[in-house]
Amino acid sequence: MSIEDNGGLRVLAINILGRFLSNCDNNIRFISFSFITLMVATWIGQNQKIRLMVVEINLRGDGAERLRERGRAKAPE
Amino acid sequence: MIKAVLVLNTEGKPRLAKFYQFQSVEKQHEAIRNVFSVLCCRPEHVSNFVDAESFFGPDSRLVYKHFATLYFMFIFDSSENELAMLDLIQVFVETLDKCFRNVCELDIVFNYSKMHTILDEIILGGQVLETSSNEVMKAIEEISRLESASNAINLVPKSVSGWRSR
């Protein structure tokens, strides 16, 4: 998160986290969703234009709670 | 840093409780009761990560796994990764299974000193030492061989040669 780099590695990181997000394991989805919300909050503040495709996941338990805590992270255009 | 390692059964009875940060005994018992009251009513389909700030102070998270009649749980701060801790629980349980051959709760009850030895080979002072189950098994076998050497004269050359060969 603290690595200052060009957009290529960031896009790669987002793609990898998106692939983790489509995993069927609840633990892996929870970790990847936490990192994605952290990345969105960090990089949108730097006026980065990121198109983020968040697959529709069935938020249950910890995912929904964490999403409510951090506020709805919308995909920027 | 790992703050605590707990192994409870499904009735809330602690089978292993190792704390790497100092807490008084009353606080330890209270933390174990609070942890169990959270875990016992937790459904299976949610993730295995719990926020443990109310039990262990700020910057604490809990990762648990449920095997048969036991809950294995690690409490750590933000410098550790949740998925890595989940994998470390798996390493610990695999080592116990290799050591006891189809481990069950009764093995843990009657061989608690060996379980503490296995845990000390994996985690020491709150830091992860070893993540390979085979290396831990080699160390456990060496320790048990040293313990079974009843002759005190033979004990010294074995330990010296064991130390040199590492």
Side-chain angles (χ1 to χ4, degrees), chain A:
Chain A
M1 214 63 67
S2 59
I3 297 175
E4 286 293 331
D5 207 87
N6 53 359
L9 277 185
R10 287 175 183 167
V11 173
L12 179 65
I14 290 173
N15 287 333
I16 290 173
L17 283 178
R19 206 170 303 147
F20 280 159
L21 203 59
S22 58
N23 200 300
C24 60
D25 192 3
N26 259 336
N27 298 319
I28 294 176
R29 278 195 338 215
F30 177 77
I31 293 296
S32 60
F33 197 79
S34 301
F35 271 107
I36 284 180
T37 51
L38 206 58
M39 288 162 83
V40 167
T42 302
W43 285 348
I44 283 183
Q46 298 177 359
N47 288 324
Q48 292 281 329
K49 288 192 173 182
I50 296 171
R51 186 157 10 135
L52 185 62
M53 300 286 292
V54 177
V55 300
E56 288 193 357
I57 53 175
N58 191 2
L59 289 176
R60 292 167 297 176
D62 282 348
E65 289 168 11
R66 186 62 68 91
L67 189 63
R68 268 186 243 115
E69 282 177 13
R70 308 221 177 170
R72 296 277 161 172
K74 293 182 180 179
E77 293 181 354

Side-chain angles (χ1 to χ4, degrees), chain B residues 5-18 32 69-73 92 96 104-113 115-116 119:
Chain B
V5 174
L6 301 173
V7 177
L8 312 179
N9 65 357
T10 48
E11 300 165 0
K13 198 177 296 293
R15 297 305 184 197
L16 173 85
K18 186 166 273 245
I32 289 172
T69 59
L70 291 170
Y71 287 99
F72 291 80
M73 55 199 80
F92 182 48
L96 288 174
C104 63
E105 188 178 346
L106 222 56
D107 294 319
I108 288 175
V109 169
F110 287 120
N111 296 285
Y112 58 92
S113 63
M115 185 163 76
H116 277 272
L119 186 63

Side-chain angles (χ1 to χ4, degrees), chain A residues 25-28 30-31 35 60-63 66, chain B residues 42 44-50 81-83 86:
Chain A
D25 192 3
N26 259 336
N27 298 319
I28 294 176
F30 177 77
I31 293 296
F35 271 107
R60 292 167 297 176
D62 282 348
R66 186 62 68 91
Chain B
R42 196 169 166 88
E44 278 188 4
H45 59 273
V46 299
S47 63
N48 292 11
F49 310 133
V50 182
N81 188 262
E82 284 101 341
L83 292 177
L86 205 63

Side-chain angles (χ1 to χ4, degrees), chain B:
Chain B
M1 179 185 177
I2 295 171
K3 296 186 174 183
V5 174
L6 301 173
V7 177
L8 312 179
N9 65 357
T10 48
E11 300 165 0
K13 198 177 296 293
R15 297 305 184 197
L16 173 85
K18 186 166 273 245
F19 290 83
Y20 297 106
Q21 277 189 349
F22 174 74
Q23 292 189 29
S24 62
V25 181
E26 293 85 12
K27 271 193 175 182
Q28 288 178 9
H29 287 162
E30 188 182 351
I32 289 172
R33 280 195 298 268
N34 287 331
V35 162
F36 180 69
S37 66
V38 165
L39 287 195
C40 65
C41 56
R42 196 169 166 88
E44 278 188 4
H45 59 273
V46 299
S47 63
N48 292 11
F49 310 133
V50 182
D51 192 11
E53 289 195 359
S54 53
F55 324 129
F56 286 91
D59 196 24
S60 296
R61 283 173 293 171
L62 186 146
V63 164
Y64 71 96
K65 265 200 169 186
H66 183 42
F67 293 99
T69 59
L70 291 170
Y71 287 99
F72 291 80
M73 55 199 80
F74 284 12
I75 296 101
F76 50 92
D77 58 5
S78 62
S79 63
E80 304 279 355
N81 188 262
E82 284 101 341
L83 292 177
M85 287 298 110
L86 205 63
D87 194 54
L88 200 69
I89 294 178
Q90 186 70 30
V91 168
F92 182 48
V93 173
E94 277 177 10
T95 311
L96 288 174
D97 193 61
K98 285 182 184 178
C99 195
F100 294 118
R101 281 179 287 274
N102 291 324
V103 66
C104 63
E105 188 178 346
L106 222 56
D107 294 319
I108 288 175
V109 169
F110 287 120
N111 296 285
Y112 58 92
S113 63
K114 186 168 261 191
M115 185 163 76
H116 277 272
T117 305
I118 291 170
L119 186 63
D120 285 341
E121 287 295 324
I122 296 174
I123 298 167
L124 184 64
Q127 303 296 323
V128 180
L129 290 185
E130 184 63 64
T131 56
S132 169
S133 183
N134 293 322
E135 294 291 326
V136 176
M137 279 307 297
K138 285 180 193 172
I140 297 299
E141 283 161 5
E142 284 183 7
I143 289 172
S144 59
R145 215 185 313 126
L146 280 181
E147 284 174 353
S148 65
S150 59
N151 198 338
I153 299 176
N154 285 334
L155 190 62
V156 174
K158 276 188 179 179
S159 62
V160 169
S161 63
W163 174 76
R164 283 178 181 172
S165 68
R166 281 184 182 239

